[in-house]
Amino acid sequence: MLFMEFTFAHNNFNVLDLEKSLKFYAEALGLREDSRHEAADGSFILSYLTDGKTPHLLELTWLRDRKETYNLGENEFHLAFAVDDFAAAHEKHSKMGCIVYENPAMGIYFIADPDNYWLEIIPGK
């Protein structure tokens, strides 16, 4: 029997306005575009964001013909980001107006991106 090893590569979020999303992720989380793939016919763009520290990427997919908001169900899925200065991050996100849920007892909160994907913010170790 062959043993195969799988490792995380990326997560994907589909977005309606790629430039707005890129700006949000840069401002809110310090992510930057690592690479991009554009369809020859202009029908889609894949933008891969990096934190510059880990190999994990966030793929943002923009579809030219998509106009309606994405159905995120009950929005029970999310990505989590650890931050070295939790208090400063909370203050920044408060000023940005993107905090959508806080759980002080657990020491976490969530922000929402322009397409309403929730992103958990947790204290770094």
Side-chain angles (χ1 to χ4, degrees), residues 54-88:
T54 63
H56 192 88
L57 300 173
L58 174 58
E59 175 188 52
L60 300 180
T61 299
W62 172 82
L63 303 172
R64 177 187 61 207
D65 298 332
R66 180 70 182 218
K67 305 299 180 221
E68 62 276 357
T69 303
Y70 287 97
N71 180 348
L72 303 182
E74 294 182 16
N75 215 353
E76 287 296 324
F77 60 90
H78 64 272
L79 293 179
F81 291 84
V83 62
D84 61 348
D85 190 337
F86 188 81

Side-chain angles (χ1 to χ4, degrees), residues 59-124:
E59 175 188 52
L60 300 180
T61 299
W62 172 82
L63 303 172
R64 177 187 61 207
D65 298 332
R66 180 70 182 218
K67 305 299 180 221
E68 62 276 357
T69 303
Y70 287 97
N71 180 348
L72 303 182
E74 294 182 16
N75 215 353
E76 287 296 324
F77 60 90
H78 64 272
L79 293 179
F81 291 84
V83 62
D84 61 348
D85 190 337
F86 188 81
H90 188 276
E91 181 179 343
K92 175 187 187 96
H93 294 143
S94 290
K95 287 179 183 173
M96 290 177 66
C98 60
I99 296 176
V100 291
Y101 179 75
E102 297 186 62
N103 187 329
M106 291 181 67
I108 63 170
Y109 66 92
F110 289 80
I111 62 175
D113 82 352
D115 292 278
N116 204 34
Y117 291 103
W118 283 28
L119 308 157
E120 182 179 3
I121 309 300
I122 62 175

